[in-house]
Amino acid sequence: MSKAHSKKPGLYDGFEGYRTASERDFKHVLTDGLVVLDANVLLNLYRYTSSTRADFIEVLNKIGDQLWIPHQALEEFWRNRENTIRDPSNARDTIKQLEAKLNDSLGIIRGWSKRIALTESVAAELANKLDSAFVDVTATIKQVADREASKLSRATHEDPVVNDLEQLIAGRRGEPFSDGVRAELIQQAMERMENSIPPGFKDRSKNKGDEGAARAAGDYLLWMQVIEEVKVRKVDVLLVTGDVKEDWWRKEEGEIRGPRLELVQEMKVLTGRQLLMLRPESLLMHAKKLLAIEVSDTSVQDINRVGKYLSKENSEDWQEGESEDPIDSPKGPGDRYLLDKLPEGRSGDYLEIVIDMAALVQHSSDLDAYLDAFQERFPGITLRSVARRRMRVLVSLGLADIKGKQVRLTDLGEKFVQDRSISIIQQSLIERIAGAAEIVDLAKQHKPEKVRSLLHTMPPASLSATQARLVYRWLQKFDVIQ
C-alpha cells in the first residue's frame, strides 16, 4: 500500500480506553448504535418512585430499536425479582441506620445526666421519650415501605414493572447460548477470574455449589452476548449498568473515568467497534439533552439516590468477600463477645433457630456455601452482608470458628447440635457475652420494668443501650432470667 493511502497511527490508536466519550459519541450511539441494559437496571425499576419509573421507561421507549437486552440480563432479572420486591425501598436498612443514631443519642443523654448528677428517674424518662419517638418514626417508615411494596405484585400480570418491560422488550432481546457454547464460556470465565481479567473477576466468591460457576460467570456471559450482537449489527455500543465494581469500570482516585481499558480493547479487537458505558442516572441526563425528552430533575435525583445506596452496599460486600476473616465476631469489654439479632427476629424460637444455624455448618464447611444455605433457610435475609452479621452469633457463643474461607463447628458446637441442650447456650451466654453476667445480677435485684429502665440509662460498661437490651432479650429467651 502506498504512503498516500496508508493511515498513520494517531494519538488514540491502541489507547482508545483513555479517550473521554463526547456528547457526539453518545448521541450517535443513542440514535444509531446499540444500547444494552444490564439486569440491575431492570431490577432498579422496583426501587424507583412511580414517577421516576415512568420517566425512565419513556427514555427507553424513545431509544426504541437501538435498545437491546441480553438473555443473561433477563435470566438474572427473573432470578432476583422476588427478592427485590420484598423490600424495594430498603426500609430495613434505613431503620438499622436510625438505630445506630438512637444509640449515639442515648449515649449523649447518659453522659449529660452523669455530668449534672441527674436523678435516675428523670434520666430514664428522657431515654424513654427518645426511644418512644424512635418507635413512632420506624413504624411510620414501615407503613410507607409497606404502602410502596403493596403497589408491586408478585403476580406477574399485576406487576407494573413487568407490564412495562413486556411491551418495551418485545423484539429487543437476545437468545441464550447453546448448552455447549455456554459450558465453554463458563470455563473461560473461570480462567479469566484466576487472572483477574474483566469483567466478572470480582464475582469469584459466587463459585460455590451446583450452580456456582454459572452464577460467577454471569458478567462474562452477558459480555460475550453483547459482543456477539455487536458483531451482527456492526455498530458502536453503550452498556448501561448500575454495577460499580472495578471489574467493569476504570477508576482514578476512586472516581469512575470510563470502562475498563481491557474491555474497550477487547471490544475493539473482536468487533472493531467502540464501547461506551453509563450509569442509569447518566443515561437520563444524556437522553434529556440529546434526545429532547422531558425528564424531571427529581427523577434524576431519585435514580442517583438508589445508585449511591446500592454502590455502598456492594462496596461493603466486596470488602467482606475479600478479607481473610470476614466474620470475626466483635469483642466487647473484658475480651468478651457481642451478640447480634437472629434471622427471624423476636418472634422466632431462639433455641430452634440457633440449632438450625449450627446444623447448617455440618453440611457446608465452605463459608460462601454456608451463607448460601443460610439465606435459603432464612429467606428474609436478602443481603449477604446481613447474613454474615447474623451468623456471627455462632462464633460469639463458641459454637463455631471461622478460619479464612472455612467455617467449622467447635467441640461445643458439635455437642450442642447433637444434644440440642438449652443449658449449653445458657452457660455460653454467661461466660462469653459482654454484659450478660451484669444483667443477670440486675435481674436478681430488680423487677423487669426496673431492669429495662436501668439498661436504658446505665447499660453495662462499653455496651450501648440497644446492645444491652439485645443481651437482655437473649437471656430471657433462653430462660436465664425471667
Side-chain angles (χ1 to χ4, degrees), residues 207-290:
N207 185 15
K208 308 297 178 185
D210 294 339
E211 295 295 321
R215 295 198 178 190
D219 281 0
Y220 182 61
L221 292 172
L222 180 139
W223 174 243
M224 292 308 297
Q225 287 173 353
V226 173
I227 284 177
E228 292 303 313
E229 188 68 14
V230 173
K231 286 180 180 178
V232 172
R233 298 202 189 196
K234 298 180 173 59
V235 293
D236 295 336
V237 58
L238 168 62
L239 174 60
V240 184
T241 178
D243 197 331
V244 295
K245 299 198 300 295
E246 62 189 50
D247 54 353
W248 278 109
W249 297 96
R250 175 172 67 90
K251 297 183 179 181
E252 300 291 344
E253 297 183 355
E255 182 181 353
I256 290 177
R257 304 300 298 160
R260 288 278 303 220
L261 300 178
E262 302 95 323
L263 299 179
V264 175
Q265 184 65 18
E266 187 169 23
M267 181 65 71
K268 184 74 173 177
V269 169
L270 295 181
T271 71
R273 310 307 302 193
Q274 181 182 9
L275 169 68
L276 292 81
M277 285 174 58
L278 285 176
R279 288 174 51 75
E281 63 270 22
S282 299
L283 173 66
L284 249 66
M285 290 187 289
H286 281 291
K288 180 179 181 179
K289 184 174 184 179
L290 301 175

Coordinates of all heavy atoms in Angstrom, one line a residue, residues 207-290:
N207 N -18.7 -18.7 43.1 CA -18.4 -20.0 42.5 C -18.5 -21.1 43.6 O -17.5 -21.7 43.9 CB -17.1 -20.0 41.8 CG -16.8 -21.3 41.1 OD1 -17.7 -22.1 40.9 ND2 -15.6 -21.6 40.7
K208 N -19.7 -21.3 44.1 CA -19.9 -22.3 45.2 C -21.2 -23.0 44.8 O -22.2 -22.5 44.4 CB -20.0 -21.7 46.5 CG -18.9 -20.7 46.9 CD -17.6 -21.5 47.0 CE -16.4 -20.5 47.3 NZ -15.1 -21.2 47.2
G209 N -21.3 -24.3 45.1 CA -22.5 -25.1 44.9 C -22.6 -25.5 43.4 O -21.8 -25.3 42.6
D210 N -23.8 -26.2 43.2 CA -24.0 -26.8 41.9 C -24.1 -25.7 40.8 O -23.6 -25.9 39.7 CB -25.3 -27.6 41.9 CG -25.3 -28.8 42.8 OD1 -24.1 -29.2 43.0 OD2 -26.3 -29.3 43.2
E211 N -24.7 -24.6 41.0 CA -24.9 -23.5 40.0 C -23.9 -22.4 40.2 O -24.0 -21.4 39.6 CB -26.3 -22.9 40.1 CG -27.4 -23.9 39.7 CD -27.3 -24.4 38.3 OE1 -26.9 -23.5 37.4 OE2 -27.5 -25.6 38.0
G212 N -22.9 -22.6 41.1 CA -22.0 -21.5 41.5 C -21.2 -21.0 40.3 O -21.0 -19.8 40.1
A213 N -20.6 -21.9 39.5 CA -19.8 -21.5 38.4 C -20.6 -20.7 37.4 O -20.1 -19.6 36.9 CB -19.2 -22.7 37.7
A214 N -21.8 -21.1 37.1 CA -22.7 -20.3 36.1 C -23.0 -19.0 36.7 O -23.0 -18.0 35.9 CB -23.9 -21.1 35.9
R215 N -23.3 -18.9 38.0 CA -23.6 -17.5 38.5 C -22.3 -16.7 38.6 O -22.4 -15.4 38.3 CB -24.2 -17.7 39.9 CG -25.5 -18.4 39.9 CD -26.3 -18.2 41.1 NE -27.6 -18.9 41.0 CZ -28.6 -18.7 41.9 NH1 -28.5 -17.9 42.9 NH2 -29.8 -19.3 41.7
A216 N -21.2 -17.2 38.9 CA -20.0 -16.4 39.0 C -19.6 -15.9 37.6 O -19.0 -14.9 37.4 CB -18.8 -17.3 39.5
A217 N -20.0 -16.7 36.5 CA -19.7 -16.3 35.2 C -20.7 -15.4 34.5 O -20.6 -15.1 33.4 CB -19.6 -17.6 34.3
G218 N -21.7 -15.0 35.3 CA -22.8 -14.2 34.8 C -22.4 -13.0 34.0 O -22.8 -12.7 32.9
D219 N -21.4 -12.2 34.6 CA -21.0 -11.0 33.9 C -20.3 -11.3 32.5 O -20.5 -10.6 31.5 CB -20.0 -10.2 34.8 CG -20.8 -9.4 35.8 OD1 -22.0 -9.4 35.9 OD2 -20.1 -8.7 36.6
Y220 N -19.5 -12.3 32.5 CA -18.8 -12.7 31.3 C -19.8 -13.2 30.2 O -19.6 -12.9 29.1 CB -17.7 -13.8 31.6 CG -16.9 -14.1 30.4 CD1 -16.1 -13.2 29.7 CD2 -16.9 -15.5 29.9 CE1 -15.4 -13.5 28.6 CE2 -16.2 -15.8 28.8 CZ -15.4 -14.9 28.1 OH -14.7 -15.2 27.0
L221 N -20.8 -14.0 30.7 CA -21.8 -14.5 29.7 C -22.5 -13.3 29.1 O -22.7 -13.2 27.8 CB -22.8 -15.4 30.4 CG -22.2 -16.7 30.8 CD1 -23.3 -17.5 31.7 CD2 -21.8 -17.6 29.7
L222 N -22.9 -12.3 29.9 CA -23.5 -11.1 29.4 C -22.6 -10.4 28.4 O -23.0 -9.9 27.3 CB -23.9 -10.2 30.5 CG -24.6 -8.9 30.1 CD1 -25.8 -8.6 31.1 CD2 -23.7 -7.7 30.1
W223 N -21.3 -10.2 28.8 CA -20.4 -9.5 28.0 C -20.2 -10.2 26.6 O -20.2 -9.5 25.6 CB -19.0 -9.5 28.7 CG -17.8 -8.9 28.0 CD1 -16.7 -9.6 27.6 CD2 -17.7 -7.6 27.5 NE1 -15.8 -8.8 27.0 CE2 -16.4 -7.5 26.9 CE3 -18.4 -6.5 27.6 CZ2 -15.9 -6.4 26.3 CZ3 -17.9 -5.3 27.0 CH2 -16.7 -5.3 26.4
M224 N -20.1 -11.5 26.6 CA -20.0 -12.2 25.3 C -21.2 -12.1 24.5 O -21.2 -12.1 23.2 CB -19.6 -13.6 25.6 CG -18.2 -13.8 26.1 SD -16.9 -12.9 25.2 CE -17.0 -13.7 23.6
Q225 N -22.4 -12.1 25.1 CA -23.6 -11.9 24.3 C -23.7 -10.5 23.7 O -24.1 -10.4 22.5 CB -24.9 -12.1 25.2 CG -25.1 -13.6 25.6 CD -26.2 -13.8 26.6 OE1 -26.7 -12.8 27.2 NE2 -26.5 -15.0 26.9
V226 N -23.2 -9.5 24.4 CA -23.1 -8.2 23.8 C -22.2 -8.1 22.6 O -22.5 -7.6 21.6 CB -22.7 -7.1 24.9 CG1 -22.4 -5.8 24.3 CG2 -23.7 -7.0 26.0
I227 N -21.0 -8.8 22.8 CA -20.0 -8.8 21.7 C -20.6 -9.5 20.5 O -20.4 -9.0 19.3 CB -18.7 -9.5 22.2 CG1 -17.9 -8.6 23.1 CG2 -17.9 -9.9 21.0 CD1 -16.7 -9.1 23.7
E228 N -21.3 -10.6 20.7 CA -21.9 -11.3 19.5 C -22.9 -10.4 18.8 O -23.0 -10.4 17.6 CB -22.5 -12.6 20.0 CG -21.5 -13.7 20.4 CD -20.4 -14.0 19.4 OE1 -20.8 -14.2 18.2 OE2 -19.2 -14.0 19.7
E229 N -23.7 -9.7 19.6 CA -24.7 -8.8 19.0 C -24.1 -7.7 18.2 O -24.5 -7.3 17.1 CB -25.7 -8.3 20.0 CG -26.9 -7.5 19.5 CD -27.9 -8.4 18.8 OE1 -27.8 -9.7 18.9 OE2 -28.7 -7.9 18.1
V230 N -23.0 -7.1 18.8 CA -22.3 -6.0 18.1 C -21.7 -6.5 16.8 O -21.7 -5.8 15.8 CB -21.2 -5.4 19.0 CG1 -20.3 -4.4 18.2 CG2 -21.8 -4.7 20.2
K231 N -21.2 -7.7 16.8 CA -20.6 -8.3 15.5 C -21.7 -8.4 14.4 O -21.4 -8.1 13.3 CB -20.1 -9.7 15.8 CG -18.8 -9.8 16.6 CD -18.4 -11.3 16.8 CE -17.1 -11.4 17.5 NZ -16.8 -12.8 17.8
V232 N -22.9 -8.7 14.8 CA -24.0 -8.8 13.8 C -24.4 -7.4 13.4 O -24.6 -7.2 12.2 CB -25.2 -9.6 14.5 CG1 -26.4 -9.5 13.5 CG2 -24.8 -11.0 14.8
R233 N -24.6 -6.5 14.3 CA -25.1 -5.2 13.9 C -24.1 -4.2 13.3 O -24.4 -3.3 12.6 CB -25.8 -4.5 15.1 CG -27.0 -5.3 15.7 CD -27.8 -4.4 16.5 NE -28.9 -5.1 17.2 CZ -29.9 -4.6 17.7 NH1 -30.1 -3.3 17.6 NH2 -30.8 -5.3 18.4
K234 N -22.8 -4.5 13.7 CA -21.7 -3.6 13.2 C -21.9 -2.2 13.6 O -21.8 -1.3 12.8 CB -21.5 -3.8 11.7 CG -21.1 -5.2 11.3 CD -21.0 -5.3 9.8 CE -20.4 -6.7 9.4 NZ -21.3 -7.8 9.8
V235 N -22.2 -1.9 14.9 CA -22.4 -0.6 15.4 C -21.7 -0.4 16.7 O -21.4 -1.4 17.4 CB -23.9 -0.3 15.6 CG1 -24.6 -0.2 14.2 CG2 -24.6 -1.3 16.5
D236 N -21.5 0.8 17.1 CA -20.9 1.1 18.5 C -22.0 0.7 19.5 O -23.2 0.7 19.2 CB -20.5 2.6 18.6 CG -19.4 2.9 17.7 OD1 -18.6 2.0 17.3 OD2 -19.3 4.1 17.3
V237 N -21.5 0.5 20.8 CA -22.4 0.0 21.8 C -22.3 0.8 23.1 O -21.2 1.2 23.5 CB -22.1 -1.5 22.1 CG1 -20.7 -1.7 22.5 CG2 -23.1 -2.0 23.1
L238 N -23.4 1.1 23.7 CA -23.5 1.7 25.0 C -24.1 0.7 26.0 O -25.2 0.3 25.8 CB -24.4 3.0 24.9 CG -24.8 3.6 26.3 CD1 -23.5 4.1 27.0 CD2 -25.8 4.7 26.1
L239 N -23.3 0.4 27.0 CA -23.8 -0.5 28.1 C -24.2 0.3 29.3 O -23.4 1.1 29.8 CB -22.6 -1.5 28.5 CG -22.9 -2.4 29.7 CD1 -24.1 -3.3 29.4 CD2 -21.7 -3.3 30.0
V240 N -25.4 0.1 29.7 CA -26.0 0.9 30.8 C -26.0 -0.1 32.0 O -26.7 -1.1 31.9 CB -27.4 1.5 30.5 CG1 -27.8 2.3 31.7 CG2 -27.3 2.3 29.3
T241 N -25.3 0.2 33.1 CA -25.3 -0.7 34.2 C -25.2 0.1 35.5 O -24.6 1.1 35.6 CB -24.1 -1.7 34.1 OG1 -24.1 -2.5 35.3 CG2 -22.8 -0.9 34.1
G242 N -25.8 -0.5 36.5 CA -25.7 0.1 37.9 C -24.6 -0.5 38.7 O -24.3 -0.1 39.8
D243 N -23.9 -1.5 38.1 CA -22.8 -2.1 38.7 C -21.6 -1.2 38.8 O -21.3 -0.5 37.8 CB -22.4 -3.4 37.9 CG -21.5 -4.3 38.7 OD1 -20.7 -3.9 39.5 OD2 -21.5 -5.5 38.4
V244 N -21.0 -1.0 39.9 CA -19.9 -0.1 40.1 C -18.6 -0.8 40.4 O -17.6 -0.1 40.7 CB -20.2 1.0 41.2 CG1 -21.3 1.9 40.8 CG2 -20.4 0.3 42.5
K245 N -18.6 -2.1 40.3 CA -17.4 -2.8 40.7 C -16.2 -2.6 39.7 O -16.4 -2.2 38.6 CB -17.6 -4.4 40.8 CG -18.7 -4.7 41.8 CD -18.6 -6.2 42.1 CE -18.9 -7.1 40.9 NZ -20.2 -7.0 40.4
E246 N -15.0 -2.7 40.3 CA -13.8 -2.3 39.5 C -13.5 -3.3 38.3 O -12.6 -3.1 37.6 CB -12.6 -2.2 40.4 CG -12.3 -3.5 41.1 CD -11.2 -3.4 42.1 OE1 -11.3 -2.5 43.0 OE2 -10.2 -4.1 42.1
D247 N -14.3 -4.4 38.2 CA -14.1 -5.3 37.1 C -14.9 -4.8 35.9 O -14.9 -5.5 34.8 CB -14.4 -6.8 37.4 CG -15.8 -7.0 38.0 OD1 -16.5 -6.0 38.3 OD2 -16.2 -8.1 38.2
W248 N -15.6 -3.7 36.0 CA -16.3 -3.1 34.9 C -15.7 -1.7 34.6 O -15.6 -1.3 33.4 CB -17.8 -2.9 35.1 CG -18.6 -4.1 34.9 CD1 -19.2 -4.9 35.9 CD2 -18.9 -4.7 33.6 NE1 -19.9 -6.0 35.3 CE2 -19.7 -5.9 33.9 CE3 -18.6 -4.4 32.3 CZ2 -20.2 -6.7 32.9 CZ3 -19.1 -5.3 31.3 CH2 -19.9 -6.4 31.6
W249 N -15.4 -0.9 35.6 CA -15.0 0.5 35.4 C -13.6 0.8 35.7 O -13.0 0.2 36.6 CB -15.9 1.3 36.4 CG -17.3 1.3 36.2 CD1 -18.3 0.5 36.8 CD2 -18.1 2.1 35.2 NE1 -19.5 0.7 36.3 CE2 -19.4 1.7 35.3 CE3 -17.7 3.1 34.3 CZ2 -20.4 2.3 34.6 CZ3 -18.7 3.6 33.5 CH2 -20.1 3.2 33.7
R250 N -13.0 1.7 34.9 CA -11.7 2.3 35.2 C -11.9 3.4 36.2 O -12.7 4.3 35.9 CB -11.0 2.8 33.9 CG -9.7 3.5 34.2 CD -9.0 3.7 32.9 NE -9.7 4.7 32.0 CZ -9.5 6.0 32.1 NH1 -8.6 6.5 32.9 NH2 -10.2 6.8 31.3
K251 N -11.2 3.3 37.3 CA -11.3 4.4 38.3 C -9.9 5.0 38.6 O -8.9 4.4 38.6 CB -11.8 3.8 39.6 CG -13.2 3.2 39.5 CD -13.8 2.7 40.8 CE -15.2 2.1 40.7 NZ -15.7 1.7 42.0
E252 N -10.0 6.3 38.8 CA -8.8 7.1 39.2 C -9.1 7.8 40.5 O -10.0 8.6 40.5 CB -8.4 8.1 38.1 CG -8.1 7.5 36.7 CD -6.8 6.7 36.7 OE1 -6.0 6.9 37.6 OE2 -6.6 5.9 35.7
E253 N -8.3 7.5 41.5 CA -8.5 8.1 42.8 C -10.0 7.9 43.3 O -10.6 8.9 43.8 CB -8.1 9.5 42.9 CG -6.6 9.7 42.6 CD -6.1 11.1 42.7 OE1 -7.0 12.0 42.9 OE2 -4.9 11.4 42.6
G254 N -10.6 6.8 43.0 CA -11.9 6.5 43.4 C -13.0 7.0 42.5 O -14.2 6.7 42.7
E255 N -12.7 7.8 41.5 CA -13.7 8.4 40.6 C -13.7 7.6 39.3 O -12.7 7.2 38.7 CB -13.3 9.8 40.3 CG -14.3 10.5 39.4 CD -13.9 12.0 39.1 OE1 -12.9 12.4 39.6 OE2 -14.5 12.6 38.2
I256 N -15.0 7.2 38.9 CA -15.2 6.5 37.6 C -14.8 7.4 36.4 O -15.3 8.5 36.3 CB -16.6 6.0 37.5 CG1 -16.9 4.9 38.5 CG2 -16.9 5.5 36.1 CD1 -18.4 4.5 38.5
R257 N -13.9 6.9 35.6 CA -13.4 7.6 34.4 C -13.9 7.0 33.1 O -13.8 7.6 32.0 CB -11.9 7.7 34.4 CG -11.3 8.3 35.7 CD -11.8 9.7 35.9 NE -11.4 10.6 34.8 CZ -12.0 11.7 34.5 NH1 -13.0 12.1 35.2 NH2 -11.5 12.4 33.5
G258 N -14.4 5.8 33.2 CA -14.9 5.1 31.9 C -14.8 3.6 32.1 O -14.5 3.1 33.1
P259 N -15.1 2.9 31.0 CA -15.0 1.4 31.0 C -13.5 1.0 31.3 O -12.6 1.7 31.0 CB -15.4 1.0 29.6 CG -16.1 2.2 29.0 CD -15.5 3.4 29.7
R260 N -13.4 -0.2 31.8 CA -12.0 -0.8 31.9 C -11.3 -0.7 30.6 O -11.9 -1.0 29.5 CB -12.1 -2.2 32.4 CG -12.5 -2.4 33.9 CD -11.4 -2.2 34.9 NE -10.3 -3.1 34.7 CZ -9.6 -3.7 35.6 NH1 -10.0 -3.6 36.9 NH2 -8.6 -4.5 35.4
L261 N -10.0 -0.4 30.6 CA -9.2 -0.4 29.4 C -9.3 -1.7 28.7 O -9.4 -1.7 27.4 CB -7.8 0.0 29.7 CG -7.5 1.3 30.4 CD1 -6.1 1.5 30.7 CD2 -8.1 2.5 29.5
E262 N -9.2 -2.8 29.4 CA -9.2 -4.1 28.8 C -10.5 -4.4 28.0 O -10.5 -5.0 27.0 CB -9.1 -5.2 29.8 CG -7.8 -5.1 30.7 CD -8.0 -4.4 32.0 OE1 -8.8 -3.4 32.0 OE2 -7.4 -4.8 33.0
L263 N -11.7 -3.9 28.6 CA -12.9 -4.1 27.9 C -13.0 -3.3 26.6 O -13.5 -3.8 25.6 CB -14.1 -3.7 28.9 CG -14.2 -4.5 30.2 CD1 -15.3 -4.0 31.0 CD2 -14.3 -6.0 29.9
V264 N -12.6 -2.0 26.7 CA -12.6 -1.2 25.5 C -11.7 -1.9 24.4 O -12.1 -2.0 23.2 CB -12.0 0.2 25.8 CG1 -11.9 1.0 24.5 CG2 -12.9 0.9 26.8
Q265 N -10.6 -2.4 24.8 CA -9.7 -3.0 23.8 C -10.2 -4.3 23.3 O -10.2 -4.6 22.1 CB -8.3 -3.3 24.5 CG -7.2 -3.8 23.6 CD -6.8 -2.9 22.5 OE1 -7.1 -1.7 22.6 NE2 -6.2 -3.4 21.4
E266 N -10.8 -5.1 24.1 CA -11.4 -6.4 23.7 C -12.6 -6.2 22.7 O -12.7 -6.9 21.7 CB -11.9 -7.2 24.9 CG -12.3 -8.6 24.5 CD -12.6 -9.5 25.7 OE1 -12.8 -9.0 26.8 OE2 -12.5 -10.8 25.6
M267 N -13.4 -5.2 23.0 CA -14.5 -4.8 22.1 C -13.9 -4.4 20.7 O -14.4 -4.8 19.7 CB -15.4 -3.7 22.7 CG -16.5 -3.3 21.8 SD -17.8 -4.6 21.6 CE -18.5 -4.7 23.2
K268 N -12.9 -3.6 20.8 CA -12.3 -3.1 19.5 C -11.6 -4.2 18.7 O -11.8 -4.3 17.5 CB -11.2 -2.1 19.9 CG -10.5 -1.4 18.7 CD -11.4 -0.4 18.1 CE -10.7 0.4 17.0 NZ -11.6 1.4 16.3
V269 N -10.9 -5.1 19.4 CA -10.3 -6.2 18.7 C -11.3 -7.2 18.1 O -11.1 -7.6 16.9 CB -9.3 -6.9 19.7 CG1 -8.8 -8.3 19.0 CG2 -8.1 -6.0 20.0
L270 N -12.3 -7.5 18.8 CA -13.3 -8.6 18.4 C -14.3 -8.1 17.5 O -14.9 -8.8 16.7 CB -13.9 -9.2 19.6 CG -13.0 -10.0 20.6 CD1 -13.8 -10.6 21.7 CD2 -12.2 -11.1 19.8
T271 N -14.7 -6.8 17.5 CA -15.8 -6.2 16.7 C -15.4 -5.0 15.9 O -16.1 -4.7 14.9 CB -16.9 -5.8 17.6 OG1 -16.6 -4.6 18.3 CG2 -17.3 -6.9 18.6
G272 N -14.3 -4.4 16.2 CA -13.9 -3.2 15.5 C -14.7 -2.0 15.9 O -14.7 -0.9 15.3
R273 N -15.6 -2.1 17.0 CA -16.5 -1.0 17.4 C -16.1 -0.4 18.7 O -15.3 -1.0 19.5 CB -17.9 -1.5 17.4 CG -18.4 -2.3 16.2 CD -18.2 -1.5 14.9 NE -18.8 -0.2 14.8 CZ -19.0 0.5 13.7 NH1 -18.5 0.0 12.5 NH2 -19.6 1.6 13.7
Q274 N -16.7 0.7 19.0 CA -16.4 1.5 20.2 C -17.3 1.1 21.4 O -18.5 0.9 21.1 CB -16.5 3.0 20.0 CG -16.2 3.9 21.2 CD -16.5 5.3 20.9 OE1 -17.0 5.7 19.9 NE2 -16.0 6.2 21.8
L275 N -16.8 0.9 22.6 CA -17.6 0.6 23.8 C -17.7 1.9 24.6 O -16.7 2.5 25.0 CB -16.9 -0.4 24.6 CG -17.5 -0.7 26.0 CD1 -18.9 -1.3 25.9 CD2 -16.6 -1.6 26.9
L276 N -19.0 2.3 24.9 CA -19.2 3.3 25.9 C -20.0 2.7 27.0 O -20.7 1.7 26.9 CB -20.1 4.4 25.3 CG -19.4 5.3 24.2 CD1 -19.4 4.6 22.8 CD2 -20.1 6.7 24.1
M277 N -19.9 3.3 28.2 CA -20.7 2.8 29.4 C -21.3 4.0 30.1 O -20.6 5.1 30.2 CB -19.8 2.0 30.3 CG -19.5 0.6 29.8 SD -18.4 -0.4 30.8 CE -19.2 -0.4 32.4
L278 N -22.5 3.8 30.7 CA -23.1 4.9 31.5 C -23.8 4.2 32.7 O -24.3 3.0 32.6 CB -24.1 5.7 30.7 CG -23.7 6.7 29.7 CD1 -24.8 7.3 29.0 CD2 -22.9 7.8 30.4
R279 N -24.0 4.9 33.8 CA -24.8 4.5 34.9 C -26.2 5.0 34.5 O -26.4 5.9 33.7 CB -24.3 5.1 36.2 CG -23.1 4.3 36.6 CD -22.4 4.9 37.9 NE -23.4 5.1 39.0 CZ -23.9 4.1 39.7 NH1 -23.5 2.8 39.5 NH2 -24.7 4.3 40.7
P280 N -27.3 4.5 35.2 CA -28.7 4.8 34.8 C -29.0 6.3 34.9 O -29.6 6.9 34.0 CB -29.5 4.0 35.8 CG -28.7 2.8 36.1 CD -27.3 3.4 36.1
E281 N -28.5 7.0 36.0 CA -28.8 8.4 36.1 C -28.1 9.2 35.0 O -28.7 10.2 34.5 CB -28.4 8.9 37.5 CG -26.9 8.8 37.8 CD -26.5 7.5 38.4 OE1 -27.2 6.5 38.3 OE2 -25.4 7.5 39.1
S282 N -26.9 8.8 34.6 CA -26.3 9.5 33.5 C -27.0 9.3 32.2 O -27.0 10.2 31.3 CB -24.8 9.0 33.4 OG -24.1 9.3 34.6
L283 N -27.6 8.1 32.0 CA -28.4 7.9 30.8 C -29.5 8.9 30.7 O -29.8 9.5 29.6 CB -28.9 6.5 30.8 CG -29.9 6.1 29.6 CD1 -29.2 6.2 28.3 CD2 -30.5 4.8 29.8
L284 N -30.2 9.1 31.8 CA -31.3 10.0 31.8 C -30.9 11.5 31.5 O -31.5 12.2 30.7 CB -32.0 10.0 33.2 CG -33.4 9.4 33.2 CD1 -33.4 8.0 32.9 CD2 -34.1 9.7 34.5
M285 N -29.7 11.9 32.0 CA -29.2 13.2 31.8 C -28.8 13.4 30.3 O -29.1 14.4 29.7 CB -28.1 13.5 32.7 CG -28.5 13.7 34.2 SD -27.2 14.3 35.3 CE -26.1 12.8 35.3
H286 N -28.2 12.4 29.7 CA -27.8 12.5 28.3 C -29.0 12.5 27.4 O -29.1 13.2 26.4 CB -26.9 11.4 28.0 CG -25.4 11.6 28.4 ND1 -24.6 12.5 27.9 CD2 -24.7 11.0 29.4 CE1 -23.4 12.5 28.5 NE2 -23.5 11.6 29.4
A287 N -30.0 11.6 27.8 CA -31.2 11.5 26.9 C -32.0 12.8 27.0 O -32.5 13.2 26.0 CB -32.0 10.3 27.4
K288 N -32.1 13.4 28.1 CA -32.8 14.7 28.3 C -32.2 15.7 27.3 O -33.0 16.5 26.7 CB -32.7 15.1 29.7 CG -33.4 16.4 30.0 CD -33.3 16.8 31.5 CE -34.1 18.1 31.8 NZ -34.0 18.4 33.3
K289 N -30.9 15.8 27.3 CA -30.3 16.8 26.4 C -30.2 16.4 25.0 O -30.4 17.3 24.1 CB -28.9 17.0 27.0 CG -28.1 18.2 26.3 CD -26.8 18.4 27.0 CE -26.1 19.6 26.4 NZ -24.8 19.9 27.1
L290 N -29.9 15.2 24.7 CA -29.6 14.8 23.3 C -30.8 14.3 22.5 O -30.8 14.4 21.3 CB -28.5 13.7 23.3 CG -27.2 14.1 24.0 CD1 -26.2 12.9 24.0 CD2 -26.5 15.2 23.2

